[in-house]
Structures are given as structure tokens and as C-alpha cells.
Amino acid sequence: MKTYRLSSAGRRTAVILLIGALIIWVFALWNFRNTIATSSDPNAGLLDALRANLDRGLSIGQVIPALLMLVLIIATPLVVWNILEEWGASYTPTDDGLRFTSLGITLTYPWNGIIGIRRLDDDTDEPLDEVLLDADHTTQIKNPLLRWLHGQAYGRRRLPLYAGLEDRDALLEEIRLRSGLHDIEPTASQQ
């Protein structure tokens, strides 16, 4: 059984994306603090400054940037999780099905549960595909937090085959052969 992972170029890209996401998150934290917790007293702590601003009432010039930064503060860790899961992703065709492993998650998608393969981005040097599934297989993940994070990153009825995956064409061919897809594209009702 061969295991397919990201190539070294794919891993470098993931690291660059991870660094960018972390920079955005730090920027959002810093700006959120500066937006809602400004004070004329330089010795005031964060909570004291925030309390004083709330007592005075926040202006629209504070509320809108604060809301945008709050969205970034919440969404960026989800993006970081997705990048880390991509970094650790491995695909292993087995007799039972396609096994996906990453960051403590192991899922086996039975061959008869794979209903299609869809190309998401055909215009790039490194295409991105997704395996379409007939059911939610995330119930195999025992940890509810990991199950939720995996579902947020991918959805519950699809599995991405990342850009930068080593021997992508061989993996796609093996999935098609073992699942009986050959070159069949899924119908609109299956997408």
C-alpha cells in the first residue's frame, strides 16, 4: 500500500500560508485591543480602558473596525487548523477503502461510498480536486472537537485532494479504479 502525502513544494506553500494566517491573527488581536480599549490614561490596563470606553459608549468608528477584527480573531484559528490538517494529510488506498489520516484523525471512506471526483481549480499548475461521498463518515472521529474542526474545514461529504499532492494522478487513477468511477463525473444531484 502506497501512502500519498504533500510534496515538499506543497509543504512549503502550507508553511507560507500558515505564517501569513498567524500574522493576520496577531494583527487582528492588536487592532481589536487598540480599537475598543483606548484610554487617555497610559497606565490603564486593558480591562479598565475597555470598561471606560463602554461606559462612554463606543463610536461607530470603533464598533465597525472592532467587529471586523473580531471576525478575523475567530475565523483565523479555523484557517490555521485547515492549513495544519492539510500539512499532515496522507491518503492510503486500502482494501477497505481510502484511508485519510491527519493530526490524530483517521477516516476510512469505503470504495462504494465514493460517488465522484470533482476538479475544483483546473486553471492552475497544481489542480485541486475533491472526492465526493455518499454519506457523512466523520462519525468515525471519536473526539467531538476534532470531528467538528474536520467538518468545518472540509464539509462532511467531501474530501479534498490538495494541490501539491505527490503522485496526484496515480492516486486519482487508483480511486477511480477501486471505486468503479473510471471517468464518470457525478450528476448534478450527487454534487
Side-chain angles (χ1 to χ4, degrees):
M1 280 183 280
K2 180 174 179 177
T3 298
Y4 300 86
R5 292 183 172 83
L6 284 182
S7 66
S8 58
R11 287 180 177 267
R12 279 191 301 273
T13 301
V15 167
I16 291 167
L17 291 172
L18 182 62
I19 290 169
L22 291 174
I23 289 170
I24 289 170
W25 191 65
V26 169
F27 171 79
L29 283 172
W30 182 262
N31 276 330
F32 182 75
R33 180 200 180 285
N34 288 338
T35 301
I36 64 166
T38 56
S39 174
S40 57
D41 180 8
N43 296 325
L46 174 66
L47 292 178
D48 293 333
L50 176 60
R51 191 173 300 119
N53 268 354
L54 291 176
D55 290 343
R56 268 195 318 261
L58 295 173
S59 70
I60 193 75
Q62 290 173 299
V63 171
I64 292 184
L67 288 175
L68 290 172
M69 293 305 118
L70 186 61
V71 167
L72 285 173
I73 289 168
I74 293 168
T76 303
L78 296 174
V79 171
V80 167
W81 168 262
N82 192 6
I83 294 168
L84 289 173
E85 195 167 344
E86 178 179 348
W87 168 271
S90 68
Y91 306 85
T92 307
T94 67
D95 291 338
D96 296 330
L98 179 63
R99 183 181 310 131
F100 172 80
T101 308
S102 183
L103 300 180
I105 295 170
T106 300
L107 293 165
T108 301
Y109 300 100
W111 295 117
N112 63 358
I114 296 174
I115 59 173
I117 298 173
R118 180 173 45 198
R119 175 80 26 113
L120 295 178
D121 191 3
D122 208 11
D123 295 336
T124 63
D125 294 336
E126 296 280 344
L128 175 65
D129 299 297
E130 66 182 1
V131 175
L132 303 173
L133 308 163
D134 67 346
D136 176 6
H137 296 277
T138 61
T139 55
Q140 297 173 40
I141 304 170
K142 300 298 180 213
N143 183 316
L145 178 60
L146 289 178
R147 184 180 326 117
W148 183 81
L149 286 169
H150 180 77
Q152 291 303 309
Y154 300 127
R156 301 197 178 271
R157 296 182 65 177
R158 66 187 88 194
L159 177 69
L161 299 175
Y162 295 109
L165 194 60
E166 225 168 22
D167 294 331
R168 154 190 292 297
D169 293 334
L171 176 60
L172 286 169
E173 185 60 29
E174 188 158 359
I175 292 170
R176 283 187 178 101
L177 288 174
R178 287 186 178 227
S179 63
L181 293 176
H182 304 289
D183 287 327
I184 300 171
E185 290 295 317
T187 63
S189 64
Q190 293 172 323
Q191 295 179 6

